[in-house]
Amino acid sequence: MAFDPSPPASIQNLLHRACHTWGLSRLDAELLLAMALGKPRSWLYAWPEHIPGPAIQETFIQLTQQRAAGKPLAYLTGHKEFYGLDLQLSPDALIPRPDTETLVDTAIEIIDRHKARRILDLGTGSGAIALAIKSQCPACDVWASDVSSQALGVARNNAKRLGLSVHFCQGCWFDAIPMNCGPFDLIVSNPPYIAPDDGHLEALSHEPRHALVAHNHGLADLFEIIDQTPKYLADGGFVWLEHGHTQGAAVRERFHERGYQAIESRHDLAGLERITGARLYP
Ligand code: GLN
C-alpha cells in the first residue's frame, strides 16, 4: 500500500494515517513520531498543526511501516523500561518483559532477608536483571554472563550509561564464570525456555532465537543450569529461574532430583507460574 507523501501532513494527520492506514496503536504512533521529531511525546499535543519537514515525514513513514510489519517498538525506539531503568536495546538482546520483574522482586527480597551479597545473572542479554538488582541493592557484588558478545556489548553500554557497576563475562552459562569469582549467594536466570515447535515463536521472530528457544520442550537450558549450579553456589545459597507457565512442575522435579531444598514457585503479574527457586545445603 502506497503511503501518499504529498501534501506534507501535519502531526495530527500523520498520527491519523499511522493508526488508520497502517493499523498502529495510537501510543506506538505517538512514540515513533516523537522519536522521528526528536521531541518528547507531549510536544505532539502542543503542536498538532505543525507540519514536519520532508526528512522527518520520511523517517516516520519508514518507522511506521516497520512497526506495521511486526518489528517490536522497543527495537525501533532502541529503548525499553525495565524495573524503572531506561535500557537501550538492539536486536542482539531479548526485549525485557514485565514478567521478569517478578524474578527481580524475588531476588531483592532474598538479598534483603538473607544478606545475600554475591549475585550472578546467567544469560543477562541487555543486562536487565543484573542492572535492576544492582540499582536496588548497590552493596551487592553483581556478576552477569552471556554467550553473545553483541548482547554483552548492549549490557555493558547500559551499565555505563546508568552508572551501575556489574562484572560482565562471556560464555555459555557457567563456562563464562571464572572459578575464583564464586561461590555466589544467589544465582538468577531468565534462560531460553520456549520449545522449538511452539507456535508463539512466530510472533517473536524479531528477537534472537538463541535467547528464546531450548530443546527438550524448552527445558534443556533450565535443566543444565540446575545441574551445574551446585559447583558455584555458597552453602545455603539460592537459585531462582524464570520459566514457561507450564514448566513449573518439571523444574521443581529437577531441583528435587538434584538434592535442592526449599523448592518454591511464584506467579508473575499475569497470575501465571513463572519462576521457581530453591536452596542448596551441603
Ligand atoms: N517470556 C518470553 C516469552 O514467552 C520468553 C523469554 C525466554 O524464553 N526466556 O515471550
Side-chain angles (χ1 to χ4, degrees):
M1 198 182 318
F3 194 99
D4 181 10
S6 59
S10 65
I11 298 283
Q12 58 189 358
N13 286 341
L14 285 167
L15 290 173
H16 184 86
R17 283 195 214 164
C19 298
H20 292 94
T21 308
W22 294 91
L24 265 62
S25 73
R26 177 83 190 182
L27 178 62
D28 284 9
E30 288 182 4
L31 289 168
L32 292 176
L33 185 51
M35 180 176 127
L37 285 157
K39 306 276 189 205
R41 208 173 121 221
S42 55
W43 197 90
L44 308 174
Y45 287 87
W47 306 101
E49 311 288 345
H50 172 78
I51 297 177
I56 290 171
Q57 303 249 351
E58 179 58 30
T59 302
F60 179 61
I61 289 164
Q62 281 174 11
L63 290 167
T64 299
Q65 289 173 340
Q66 291 182 69
R67 182 71 195 105
K71 188 158 179 176
L73 187 79
Y75 287 153
L76 291 171
T77 61
H79 287 264
K80 178 79 182 179
E81 197 201 292
F82 180 79
Y83 223 87
L85 300 176
D86 173 36
L87 296 175
Q88 273 185 10
L89 274 187
S90 83
D92 296 313
L94 198 72
I95 300 169
R97 314 285 205 266
D99 306 338
T100 305
E101 296 193 341
T102 307
L103 187 59
V104 177
D105 286 339
T106 301
I108 292 167
E109 183 190 309
I110 289 167
I111 290 164
D112 288 346
R113 190 175 301 167
H114 300 274
K115 305 277 170 279
R117 280 297 165 264
R118 290 178 76 75
I119 319 295
L120 171 62
D121 171 24
L122 290 167
T124 196
S126 64
I129 296 171
L131 294 169
I133 291 174
K134 184 67 184 178
S135 74
Q136 298 291 317
C137 311
C140 284
D141 198 13
V142 181
W143 293 71
S145 76
D146 206 281
V147 71
S148 154
S149 55
Q150 287 93 334
L152 276 180
V154 174
R156 283 200 175 96
N157 192 34
N158 279 321
K160 202 165 153 196
R161 278 180 41 256
L162 297 166
L164 296 168
S165 154
V166 167
H167 313 278
F168 292 104
C169 22
Q170 190 195 347
C172 184
W173 305 132
F174 289 103
D175 293 349
I177 311 304
M179 258 306 179
N180 60 2
C181 71
F184 295 95
D185 303 313
L186 168 63
I187 295 175
V188 291
S189 183
N190 172 19
Y193 54 71
I194 301 179
D197 57 355
D198 189 321
H200 133 251
L201 274 174
E202 211 177 307
L204 306 176
S205 64
H206 292 265
E207 296 186 81
R209 195 178 155 87
H210 71 263
L212 290 165
V213 179
H215 292 289
N216 187 16
H217 312 284
L219 292 164
D221 291 295
L222 287 158
F223 285 0
E224 178 166 350
I225 293 170
I226 292 171
D227 294 357
Q228 298 296 324
T229 283
K231 284 188 250 159
Y232 297 87
L233 206 56
D235 292 350
F238 295 80
V239 53
W240 277 88
L241 305 174
E242 180 173 327
H243 51 71
H245 65 95
T246 59
Q247 293 170 331
V251 171
R252 288 191 296 275
E253 177 67 23
R254 187 71 163 204
F255 271 129
H256 184 71
E257 284 166 10
R258 294 294 180 264
Y260 290 81
Q261 294 171 45
I263 301 163
E264 177 195 341
S265 296
R266 293 189 179 178
H267 293 79
D268 64 18
L269 300 168
L272 301 169
E273 205 169 66
R274 181 62 64 191
I275 61 173
T276 295
R279 296 185 78 169
L280 199 63
Y281 297 97

